[in-house]
Amino acid sequence: MSVLDDRIEMAEESGELTLDVMFEWLEKMPIPEGTKVEIVGGNIFMSPQRQTHFEIIFDILEQMRAKYPRQRLASDVRIDFPGRLNGFACDVAAFRDRSVKDRDGRWRYQDVEFVAEVISKDTAANDYGPKKAAYAQAGVPVYLVADPYTGICHVYTRPREGDYATETKVPFGDEIDLTGTVVGLVLSTDEFPRD
C-alpha cells in the first residue's frame, strides 16, 4: 500500500475525503507528462494519451470552433460532476454562452452542453458506464463517445433520470448530425483514425 493509499484511507475514515484533497495529492505525485488523470467514483485512473486519441480529440475541437470560441472549449480540464467523487478531465467539453466558472476558477458542470470522450482500452468501461451516467445526471445534452477500436461513434442525447433516452451509432467516415441539438453542427468523422 502506498503513502497515497494510506492518506486516502485516513481521509475516508475521517469523512474528509474530497475531490480537492485527492487532486491535491495527485499534483504532488510524479505523474508522467501526457498522462490523463481522472477520478471516477472515488477511483483514480491514469492513462497515457496515444496519437490516435490525440488526433480524434484535435479533430473534434477544430470542428467545434465553427460554433464555440476557444474560451468555451476545454480538453483534459477538471470538471466536477454529480455523484460520489467524480472529477473528470473530459477529452472535449463545450460550454454554453454566458458560462461562468465557480469561485475556484473551475468550469461548472451545469454549463456543459457537449462532451466527447475517445475510448482507451483500459478506461472504456468508465466512458460507457459511470461517466455516461454522471453526464446524464448532470443534464449534459450531447455526449459523444468515439471508439477507434470499433470505428464507431456513439451519440447520446436527451438525458433523463441518470441515463440517455437516445443513442445513435455512427460509423467512422459518416457525418454526425447534431443540428437538432444545442450543438447545432454536423461533425465529420472522415479523418478519425482507427486503432
Side-chain angles (χ1 to χ4, degrees), residues 55-104:
E55 288 177 28
I56 295 172
I57 291 167
F58 193 74
D59 195 348
I60 293 170
L61 282 167
E62 282 187 320
Q63 293 182 66
M64 296 297 285
R65 291 274 297 153
K67 175 179 177 184
Y68 295 89
R70 189 176 3 262
Q71 299 81 4
R72 288 183 30 225
L73 291 169
S75 178
D76 289 341
V77 173
R78 174 184 166 188
I79 304 169
D80 296 346
F81 282 90
R84 181 182 175 274
L85 299 174
N86 285 325
F88 302 158
C90 313
D91 288 331
V92 177
F95 304 93
R96 66 180 167 175
D97 195 24
R98 295 185 179 84
S99 294
V100 294
K101 293 181 182 175
D102 66 17
R103 69 177 186 274
D104 296 319

Side-chain angles (χ1 to χ4, degrees), residues 95-166:
F95 304 93
R96 66 180 167 175
D97 195 24
R98 295 185 179 84
S99 294
V100 294
K101 293 181 182 175
D102 66 17
R103 69 177 186 274
D104 296 319
R106 287 193 291 269
W107 290 108
R108 300 169 344 116
Y109 74 83
Q110 295 93 334
D111 292 329
V112 178
E113 288 187 333
F114 171 87
V115 168
E117 297 286 5
V118 180
I119 294 297
S120 294
K121 281 185 181 177
D122 293 336
T123 59
N126 287 338
D127 296 326
Y128 288 116
K131 288 175 77 174
K132 178 180 158 225
Y135 293 144
Q137 184 180 351
V140 174
V142 180
Y143 175 40
L144 166 66
V145 177
D147 189 334
Y149 303 103
T150 62
I152 295 175
C153 290
H154 299 259
V155 182
Y156 300 98
T157 56
R158 298 179 42 221
R160 294 215 171 105
E161 300 173 14
D163 201 359
Y164 283 94
T166 305

Side-chain angles (χ1 to χ4, degrees), residues 5-21:
D5 290 331
D6 288 340
R7 289 182 179 166
I8 289 174
E9 188 175 310
M10 288 181 345
E12 282 182 328
E13 288 172 6
S14 69
E16 294 180 23
L17 186 62
T18 66
L19 284 171
D20 288 338
V21 167

